[in-house]
């Protein structure tokens, strides 16, 4: 923090922060303010050594014997159980596997297999696109049996008619960060006779989640965001134990009851293992496990408390910039409905996010006009928030965003 004098009250908040020691467990370049942990979490320092060990020792030396010797074959279930401790699942209800998109396919088709008399997969129009695309793919494949329906975000409960088989919702909205009431919506879905699939990509590791407390049916989520599992980390799938009889459509050999019996016919494993498909990605799982072990050391309620405090501070300090430079808060202020990010709408949002990189602030942009600032309490300081707002102001004052190169949209925003 070289560029500014930090207000004493903020310095005191950092000094008293019980999560402050976690920052040093991550690799973060000096001077950089990283506000994109909701897209790709920072690198835990321990991941580097762990991957070297897995590659050099377990793979290099152990070779194929490591499937048993280094417990590679049970990693999806072992890591799933650890994720379960963060989101209120019992042991044996989660596997770490595949991508979130693939897990959405598996969860909605499993739910459909439990509601054969119903035809609708329901979601909301502003859900993360892959969720909707996967629904549309299932509809196209079903040959008329299934219909993908989306309604306005606030019309979800009213749209739970008696033909809805499964409701697919993201708990924390990827743009606004708005949090949905998991218990209340799950109850409404069940009362209407539907099952529910929760996308927890922006929830796990960011806010306390209690899947079984809410009586959820299925859930999925990303490993590379708040779980700090690394780029393209394996995702996870939760199926409540009462649904382990659901027939997986992706009937790969790693979901078979006896994969190494090489039998001719598919016979799904009795438990959560049936939701695996192919060979587990060991390197990705090894990195993911380090990220999860790290977050399990922290107190989730402390993470939530600090996340909200960081958000409050950010919103407060941004208020003068909203009036002066045209930012509009796109997140809710209310704690009950705010996840671990703060979003602003701005006509030059894309250019401002690009220009902020010159000032060593990484945030991201979501079309058409949203600047997203991810708040990750394990490695962000209160002082970073103050400094971020100063740098945003500097980008606005200097019009650094108005350079020709920032008017050209890159492929990844
Ligand atoms: C809510 C949500 N679901 C799913 C995904 C993407 O899932 P994947 O790329 O792992 O399939 C994202 C990515 O940002 C997301 O925000």
């Amino acid at each position: 923090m070289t560029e500014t004098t930090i207000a004493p009250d903020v310095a005191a908040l950092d000094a008293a922060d019980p999560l402050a020691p976690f920052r040093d467990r991550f690799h973060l370049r000096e001077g950089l303010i990283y506000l994109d942990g909701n897209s790709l979490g920072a690198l835990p320092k321990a991941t580097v050594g762990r991957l070297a060990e897995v590659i050099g020792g377990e793979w290099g030396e152990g070779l194929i014997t490591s499937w048993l010797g280094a417990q590679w074959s049970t990693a999806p279930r072992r890591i799933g159980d650890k994720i379960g401790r963060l989101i209120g699942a019992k042991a044996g209800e989660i596997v770490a596997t595949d991508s979130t998109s693939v897990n959405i396919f598996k969860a909605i088709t499993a739910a459909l297999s439990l509601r054969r008399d119903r035809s609708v997969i329901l979601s909301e129009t502003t859900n993360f696109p892959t969720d909707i695309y996967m629904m549309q793919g299932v509809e196209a494949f079903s040959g008329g049996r299934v219909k993908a329906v989306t309604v306005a975000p606030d019309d979800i409960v009213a749209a739970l008619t008696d033909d809805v088989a499964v409701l697919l919702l993201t708990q924390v909205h990827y743009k606004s960060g708005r949090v949905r009431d998991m218990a209340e919506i799950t109850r409404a879905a069940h009362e209407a006779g539907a099952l529910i699939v929760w996308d927890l990509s922006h929830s796990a590791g960011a806010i306390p989640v209690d899947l079984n407390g809410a009586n959820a049916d299925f859930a999925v989520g990303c490993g590379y965001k708040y779980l700090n599992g690394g780029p393209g980390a394996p995702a996870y799938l939760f199926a409540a134990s009462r649904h382990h009889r659901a027939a997986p459509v992706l009937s790969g050999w790693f979901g078979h009851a006896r994969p190494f019996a090489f039998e001719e016919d598919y016979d799904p494993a009795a438990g959560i293992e049936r939701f695996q498909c192919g060979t587990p990605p060991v390197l990705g799982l090894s990195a993911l496990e380090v990220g999860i072990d790290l977050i399990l050391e922290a107190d989730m309620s402390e993470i939530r408390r600090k996340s909200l405090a960081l958000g409050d501070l950010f919103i407060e300090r941004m208020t003068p910039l909203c009036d002066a430079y045209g930012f509009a808060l796109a997140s809710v202020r209310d704690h009950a409905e705010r996840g671990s990010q703060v979003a602003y709408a701005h006509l030059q949002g894309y250019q401002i996010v690009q220009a902020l990189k010159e000032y060593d602030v990484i945030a991201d942009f979501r079309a058409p006009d949203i600047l997203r600032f991810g708040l990750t309490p394990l490695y962000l300081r209160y002082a970073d928030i103050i400094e971020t707002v100063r740098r945003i102001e500097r980008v606005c004052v200097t019009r650094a965003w108005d350079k020709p190169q920032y008017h050209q949209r890159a492929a990844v925003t």
Side-chain angles (χ1 to χ4, degrees):
M1 226 34 30
T2 49
E3 300 192 27
T4 188
T5 312
I6 303 303
D9 51 339
V10 171
L13 286 175
D14 279 320
D17 175 11
L19 297 177
F22 282 97
R23 180 177 168 85
D24 192 42
R25 309 275 295 276
F26 291 88
H27 175 83
L28 289 163
R29 182 166 48 71
E30 188 56 40
L32 171 72
I33 303 179
Y34 189 61
L35 297 164
D36 218 355
N38 55 333
S39 206
L40 172 65
L43 168 67
K45 288 178 181 168
T47 305
V48 180
R50 176 64 189 136
L51 282 187
E53 195 177 284
V54 176
I55 292 169
E58 296 179 7
W59 177 15
E61 299 296 322
L63 290 163
I64 204 163
T65 66
S66 289
W67 280 106
L68 289 177
Q71 284 98 46
W72 287 353
S73 61
T74 49
R77 165 74 194 267
R78 179 180 72 247
I79 298 168
D81 285 351
K82 291 182 180 184
I83 297 171
R85 287 161 52 194
L86 291 170
I87 56 177
K90 299 190 295 255
E93 288 186 316
I94 296 186
V95 271
T97 180
D98 297 318
S99 64
T100 302
S101 305
V102 172
N103 287 334
I104 288 169
F105 179 89
K106 292 190 285 188
I108 55 183
T109 51
L112 282 165
S113 79
L114 299 169
R115 290 289 181 277
R116 291 190 189 279
D117 54 333
R118 292 173 171 231
S119 57
V120 170
I121 313 168
L122 178 68
S123 193
E124 51 112 337
T125 46
T126 72
N127 200 351
F128 189 78
T130 208
D131 297 54
I132 297 172
Y133 301 160
M134 296 312 292
M135 289 166 53
Q136 291 169 345
V138 172
E139 177 188 73
F141 181 70
S142 77
R145 140 103 172 87
V146 172
K147 204 167 156 39
V149 174
T150 53
V151 297
D154 291 333
D155 294 344
I156 276 293
V157 172
L160 284 165
T161 47
D162 61 9
D163 51 356
V164 176
V166 50
L167 171 60
L168 170 64
L169 275 186
T170 299
Q171 190 197 15
V172 179
H173 195 271
Y174 77 104
K175 277 189 191 168
S176 66
R178 177 185 167 193
V179 183
R180 288 186 176 267
D181 186 327
M182 179 178 281
E184 190 183 301
I185 296 175
T186 301
R187 195 178 319 115
H190 289 171
E191 274 169 17
L195 295 173
I196 194 155
V197 177
W198 285 103
D199 183 336
L200 302 180
S201 293
H202 296 270
S203 308
I207 65 170
V209 177
D210 187 2
L211 282 169
N212 280 320
N215 204 21
D217 299 295
F218 297 92
V220 298
C222 299
Y224 46 76
K225 299 178 184 290
Y226 295 93
L227 300 182
N228 304 308
Y236 54 89
L237 183 151
F238 159 87
S241 47
R242 64 183 178 281
H243 294 317
H244 289 184
R245 68 184 195 288
V249 174
L250 292 186
S251 45
W253 73 309
F254 258 80
H256 195 279
R258 297 163 299 279
F260 286 88
F262 299 104
E263 293 166 10
E264 196 177 335
D265 291 321
Y266 181 68
D267 176 18
I272 191 69
E273 284 82 0
R274 68 172 51 195
F275 290 98
Q276 295 184 87
C277 186
T279 306
V282 173
L283 301 183
L285 285 167
S286 303
L288 175 62
E289 190 165 20
V290 177
I292 292 164
D293 284 342
L294 181 45
I295 205 163
L296 280 172
E297 286 181 40
D299 176 349
M300 201 59 229
S301 59
E302 201 54 60
I303 290 179
R304 178 63 173 156
R305 201 193 56 72
K306 183 176 171 190
S307 152
L308 289 169
L310 292 169
D312 287 345
L313 181 64
F314 190 48
I315 292 170
E316 177 203 308
R317 297 297 167 111
M318 277 293 286
T319 303
L321 274 68
C322 291
D323 299 337
Y325 299 107
F327 293 92
L329 183 64
S331 295
V332 270
R333 282 173 192 269
D334 179 11
H335 285 182
E337 283 190 49
R338 193 170 82 220
S340 203
Q341 67 185 58
V342 175
Y344 286 90
H346 193 288
L347 276 178
Q348 276 79 38
Y350 176 75
Q351 291 100 304
I352 293 171
V353 165
Q354 301 317 305
L356 274 170
K357 291 180 197 155
E358 279 180 32
Y359 290 83
D360 235 358
V361 175
I362 297 183
D364 69 18
F365 171 77
R366 290 293 175 262
D369 61 354
I370 296 291
L371 300 93
R372 255 188 354 174
F373 300 95
L375 305 173
T376 46
L378 289 187
Y379 50 86
L380 269 185
R381 298 163 295 197
Y382 293 92
D384 294 320
I385 300 299
I386 303 294
E387 183 57 22
T388 297
V389 178
R390 281 174 189 257
R391 294 185 194 181
I392 294 173
E393 187 173 20
R394 219 164 307 149
V395 164
C396 294
V397 170
T398 60
R399 293 180 66 90
W401 52 267
D402 203 10
K403 294 183 179 158
Q405 67 266 33
Y406 298 147
H407 289 263
Q408 207 82 31
R409 289 268 168 100
V412 177
T413 63

